[in-house]
C-alpha cells in the first residue's frame, strides 16, 4: 500500500472522497438555507451533475438533503454521518484524531486496518465504514452492518505487549464501549467474556481483535468494534438475539457523539492499561460483567461442550470455569453461553 504525507482519504482506494465530506460539511454549515447547485459545485470544485450524483448517494445514506439542481439544496436536518472531518474536529489532540479513514461502503474495516498495519501506518489510525459488505465477527462469523445505523470502526494500535496479553485489549475495549454507552444512554449494559456487549441478554455490540505478532512482541493489533445503534429491525436469524441502543432506549442515538465518547474512553483506558498493567482491566471487567462469577455457562470450542459455573478471570484475561466435577478450566477460546 502506498503511503504519502497526504491525508490518506486521498490515497486509499474506496475511501470517501474528501469532496463528498466537504459537501456534507457545506450543507451542514448552511443547514436549512437553500444553496444553489452552482455555488455548491464552485465551492467543492466539481461539476453540477457530480454534485447531483453525490446528493443522491447521500440520500441513500439517510442524509436528508432537499431540493434538486434547479432549485438548489438544503439540509432538512443536520445528518448523523461520521465524516472524517467532523470526527477530526471533535478529537483534536487525541490519539485517534489524526489518521481517520472513512468509507461510505467497505468490505470490512478490520481488513483495511490490517492492510494499514502491514504498510506501517502509525498507531491511532481509525477506519470507519458507514456500511460493511463483509463485516467480520468472531469465530469466522459475519457481522451484520446495515448502512448508517451502526458504528463500524477499527483502531490500529502498536502496543509494547507480549502476544499473550493482547486479548486483554478486547476486554478493555468492551469496558470503553460499556462506559461510552452508559454515559450517553443511561442503559445498563452487560459484558460477556470475551467480547460481547449485551442489553437485556441481547447483543448490542461486539469486538474483534486481530494481531500481527512475533513470538515475544506484538507488531500491531487492530481492534474492530461493532455497535448496533439505530437499527429498528434485524434480519430474521438475528432478531431474537440482537438489539440496538435505539430499540433499548426508545429514541434514536447520535452515532457521532457515541463514537467520540468511545474513542475518548478508549484512549484513557489504553494509556492506563499500558502504564498500570492488566489488573485494573480484569478488576473492572469482573465488576461489570454478570458472566465473571457464578454464572452457569456452556462453553463450546467446536470439539466439545462443557458445562460449569464461571469462577472469575485469570491474570491473562482468560475466563475460569469450574466444571461440575470440581475441576477449574481456563477458557482460551470458544463460545460461552448461559446454561439455563
Ligand atoms: C463479534 O463477533 O462479536 C465481533 C464483531 C466485530 C464487528 C466489528 S464491526 C467493525 C469491525 N470490522 C469488522 O469487519 N468487524 C469489526
Amino acid at each position: 500500500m502506498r503511503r504519502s504525507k497526504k491525508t490518506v482519504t486521498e490515497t486509499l482506494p474506496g475511501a470517501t472522497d474528501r469532496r463528498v465530506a466537504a459537501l456534507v460539511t457545506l450543507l451542514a454549515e448552511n443547514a436549512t438555507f437553500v444553496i444553489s447547485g452552482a455555488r455548491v459545485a464552485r465551492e467543492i470544485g466539481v461539476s453540477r451533475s457530480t454534485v447531483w450524483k453525490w446528493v443522491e448517494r447521500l440520500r441513500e445514506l439517510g442524509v436528508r438533503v432537499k431540493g434538486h439542481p434547479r432549485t438548489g439544496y438544503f439540509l432538512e436536518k443536520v445528518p448523523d454521518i461520521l465524516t472524517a472531518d467532523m470526527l477530526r474536529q471533535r478529537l483534536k489532540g487525541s490519539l485517534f484524531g489524526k489518521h481517520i479513514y472513512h468509507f461510505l461502503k467497505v468490505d470490512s474495516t478490520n481488513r483495511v486496518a490490517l492492510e494499514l498495519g502491514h504498510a506501517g501506518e502509525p498507531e491511532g489510525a481509525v477506519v470507519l465504514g458507514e456500511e460493511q459488505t463483509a463485516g467480520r465477527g468472531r469465530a469466522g462469523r459475519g457481522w451484520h452492518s446495515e448502512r448508517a445505523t451502526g458504528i463500524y470502526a477499527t483502531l490500529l494500535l502498536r502496543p509494547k505487549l507480549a502476544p499473550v496479553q493482547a486479548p486483554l485489549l478486547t476486554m478493555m475495549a468492551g469496558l470503553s464501549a460499556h462506559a461510552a454507552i452508559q454515559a450517553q444512554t443511561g442503559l445498563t449494559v452487560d459484558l460477556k467474556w470475551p467480547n460481547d456487549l449485551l442489553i437485556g441478554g441481547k447483543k448490542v455490540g461486539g469486538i474483534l481483535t486481530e494481531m500481527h505478532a512475533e513470538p515475544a512482541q506484538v507488531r500491531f493489533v487492530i481492534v474492530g468494534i461493532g455497535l448496533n445503534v439505530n437499527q429498528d429491525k434485524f434480519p430474521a436469524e438475528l432478531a431474537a438475539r440482537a438489539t440496538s441502543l435505539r430499540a433499548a432506549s426508545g429514541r434514536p442515538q447520535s452515532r457521532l457523539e457515541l463514537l467520540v465518547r468511545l474513542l475518548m474512553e478508549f484512549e484513557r483506558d489504553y494509556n492506563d492499561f499500558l502504564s498500570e498493567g492488566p489488573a485494573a482491566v480484569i478488576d473492572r471487567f469482573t465488576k461489570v460483567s454478570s458472566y465473571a462469577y457464578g454464572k452457569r455457562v456452556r462453553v463450546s470450542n467446536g470439539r466439545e461442550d462443557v458445562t460449569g459455573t464461571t469462577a472469575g478471570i485469570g491474570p491473562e484475561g482468560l475466563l475460569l470455569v469450574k466444571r461440575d466435577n470440581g475441576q477449574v478450566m481456563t477458557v482460551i477460546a470458544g463460545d460461552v453461553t448461559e446454561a439455563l
Side-chain angles (χ1 to χ4, degrees):
M1 184 177 296
R2 188 164 66 88
R3 301 291 328 281
S4 81
K5 281 208 156 62
K6 281 182 170 182
T7 35
V8 195
T9 42
E10 288 163 19
T11 59
L12 263 189
T16 310
D17 191 315
R18 283 182 72 82
R19 295 168 302 174
V20 178
L23 169 61
V24 178
T25 308
L26 181 68
L27 291 170
E29 280 170 354
N30 295 278
T32 70
F33 293 106
V34 175
I35 322 181
S36 73
R39 180 178 154 207
V40 177
R42 200 171 51 246
E43 293 208 10
I44 309 276
V46 294
S47 71
R48 288 175 65 178
S49 61
T50 302
V51 172
W52 175 241
K53 213 170 65 200
W54 287 351
V55 164
E56 293 280 84
R57 182 82 182 93
L58 290 174
R59 283 177 177 154
E60 280 170 29
L61 280 170
V63 179
R64 278 152 61 184
V65 190
K66 287 283 193 191
H68 46 79
R70 269 186 300 107
T71 58
Y73 305 101
F74 73 97
L75 269 189
E76 213 174 24
K77 193 169 165 283
V78 178
D80 184 26
I81 196 167
L82 303 172
T83 69
D85 283 347
M86 288 180 185
L87 208 56
R88 216 174 277 120
Q89 269 191 10
R90 299 286 306 274
L91 292 168
K92 279 197 185 118
S94 144
L95 170 64
F96 300 115
K98 298 185 188 81
H99 299 267
I100 302 172
Y101 300 73
H102 177 270
F103 291 80
L104 291 174
K105 194 189 246 188
V106 66
D107 51 352
S108 155
T109 54
N110 269 30
R111 199 271 304 152
V112 174
L114 274 175
E115 265 188 47
L116 288 170
H118 284 293
E121 176 75 17
E123 166 159 281
V126 180
V127 185
L128 288 173
E130 294 291 332
E131 174 183 4
Q132 296 186 115
T133 53
R136 298 181 190 170
R138 231 163 64 88
R141 299 189 193 101
W143 185 256
H144 176 65
S145 309
E146 184 192 332
R147 179 192 296 162
T149 53
I151 289 177
Y152 317 114
T154 304
L155 316 180
L156 173 68
L157 305 172
R158 295 188 180 277
K160 289 196 169 49
L161 290 178
V164 68
Q165 289 182 300
L168 284 155
L169 285 172
T170 306
M171 288 168 65
M172 192 212 83
L175 287 165
S176 311
H178 179 275
I181 293 172
Q182 232 156 21
Q184 174 154 332
T185 65
L187 290 165
T188 302
V189 184
D190 195 6
L191 287 173
K192 178 158 76 85
W193 184 91
N195 72 328
D196 288 354
L197 289 129
L198 306 174
I199 294 182
K202 291 184 170 186
K203 189 145 167 169
V204 75
I207 290 150
L208 181 63
T209 304
E210 300 179 65
M211 74 171 154
H212 176 57
E214 278 155 17
Q217 167 78 46
V218 166
R219 295 290 293 272
F220 65 84
V221 177
I222 59 155
V223 181
I225 304 171
L227 298 178
N228 301 333
V229 184
N230 285 326
Q231 287 87 343
D232 53 16
K233 56 179 182 334
F234 287 93
E237 67 278 14
L238 297 178
R241 287 180 286 128
T243 190
S244 72
L245 298 179
R246 178 188 188 148
S249 67
R251 54 181 189 276
Q253 299 290 339
S254 161
R255 290 183 307 141
L256 181 64
E257 289 305 321
L258 185 62
L259 182 58
V260 168
R261 277 183 212 263
L262 169 62
L263 295 176
M264 285 170 31
E265 294 281 351
F266 192 107
E267 183 171 2
R268 200 172 24 237
D269 291 342
Y270 181 56
N271 288 335
D272 289 352
F273 174 57
L274 293 183
S275 59
E276 288 159 27
V281 171
I282 294 170
D283 192 47
R284 270 176 73 198
F285 195 94
T286 304
K287 287 198 177 105
V288 156
S289 168
S290 78
Y291 278 77
Y293 272 104
K295 177 88 96 189
R296 287 289 294 165
V297 291
R298 179 170 309 107
V299 183
S300 341
N301 64 10
R303 276 172 293 126
E304 53 166 356
D305 278 10
V306 174
T307 307
T309 305
T310 57
I313 310 280
E316 278 160 354
L318 302 178
L319 184 68
L320 307 175
V321 174
K322 189 168 185 186
R323 299 173 73 152
D324 294 341
N325 64 8
Q327 187 194 1
V328 176
M329 68 173 200
T330 302
V331 183
I332 296 169
D335 275 333
V336 176
T337 44
E338 188 167 7
L340 298 170

